[in-house]
Amino acid sequence: MAQGRRKTSALQCDSGRPTLLCHFRSRHELAKGLLASCAIPRSAHPFDLLRGPRSPPTYPENDGVIIRPDCEWDPQFAEGADGAPPYGRAFVDGGLTSAAPLAPASLQVHTVTISPFSGPQGVLNPGDAATPAHLHLCPMEASVRFPLIAPRLAGMRCFLSVANLLAFSASVGAPPSELRRWYQRGVEDAMRFETDHAPPES
């Protein structure tokens, strides 16, 4: 079914460790993995999105979804080498620290990440024989912003701009009409990017 093929990002509650869940033995386990990957903790705070990997946010176990250790991608944790309890660990939405996670280097697959917030875009890593390429798509920035400033928001570089402040406010409770407008902006940005980076005609 989805054994090893679908990989979803999650965050371990008690340590703030990001992981990928991909080894599901049943539809029930797949459903729990998807629930964990979109579970927003009740104790979450917007400033959690600004915390880096050196000081990740942590949450109470009862805010998350319990997942068996062998559902994880990393063999070190899948085998319970870190002393995981037999019933598993609690996980929440991985987007709290990594909204657009990169695939593990061992997979040797190129990655395309997409963000609703403007920031550095295009080919962020051209890749080579040992490192996969990384292409990042996001809205074109046309509003007022602080130059040379691109703080990380949930792991992504974002410009400190008027447009991004409006996008952030829309992400926490916008009406359907506003969401449709942002969707249309995404379509237009993707088409513009595709046109600007089209391969030469043979």
Side-chain angles (χ1 to χ4, degrees):
M1 188 184 60
Q3 176 72 2
R5 292 184 298 173
R6 179 181 179 84
K7 297 173 178 61
T8 185
S9 173
L11 185 75
Q12 187 175 332
C13 286
D14 60 0
S15 67
R17 175 180 63 86
T19 189
L20 290 179
L21 306 175
C22 66
H23 299 298
F24 306 110
R25 297 183 298 186
S26 65
R27 280 190 169 86
H28 176 69
E29 285 190 352
L30 173 60
K32 288 186 67 177
L34 295 177
L35 285 173
S37 72
C38 59
I40 303 298
R42 289 171 293 181
S43 55
H45 190 279
F47 282 111
D48 290 349
L49 301 175
L50 298 173
R51 300 180 66 171
R54 294 184 179 180
S55 179
T58 58
Y59 305 100
E61 188 174 90
N62 58 8
D63 278 359
V65 178
I66 301 296
I67 302 294
R68 290 187 307 103
D70 55 1
C71 288
E72 292 196 51
W73 161 259
D74 191 333
Q76 172 188 350
F77 299 101
E79 295 170 0
D82 63 337
Y87 60 84
R89 311 177 186 87
F91 290 90
V92 292
D93 189 350
L96 291 165
T97 58
S98 183
L102 298 179
S106 57
L107 283 178
Q108 285 296 300
V109 295
H110 302 309
T111 302
V112 177
T113 53
I114 301 174
S115 168
F117 303 103
S118 63
Q121 63 172 289
V123 180
L124 300 186
N125 185 352
D128 53 34
T131 307
H134 176 204
L135 174 66
H136 185 68
L137 304 179
C138 62
M140 302 289 186
E141 181 55 71
S143 69
V144 177
R145 71 180 178 93
F146 286 94
L148 306 178
I149 297 180
R152 288 191 179 275
L153 181 67
M156 296 183 297
R157 290 285 183 191
C158 302
F159 294 140
L160 190 56
S161 67
V162 172
N164 276 348
L165 291 175
L166 292 174
F168 183 75
S169 63
S171 69
V172 294
S177 59
E178 182 72 5
L179 295 178
R180 281 193 293 269
R181 188 175 73 84
W182 282 100
Y183 169 79
Q184 188 58 39
R185 278 193 61 188
V187 171
E188 293 170 0
D189 284 328
M191 293 179 66
R192 187 183 303 114
F193 187 91
E194 189 177 61
T195 301
D196 293 345
H197 296 79
E201 295 182 3
S202 56

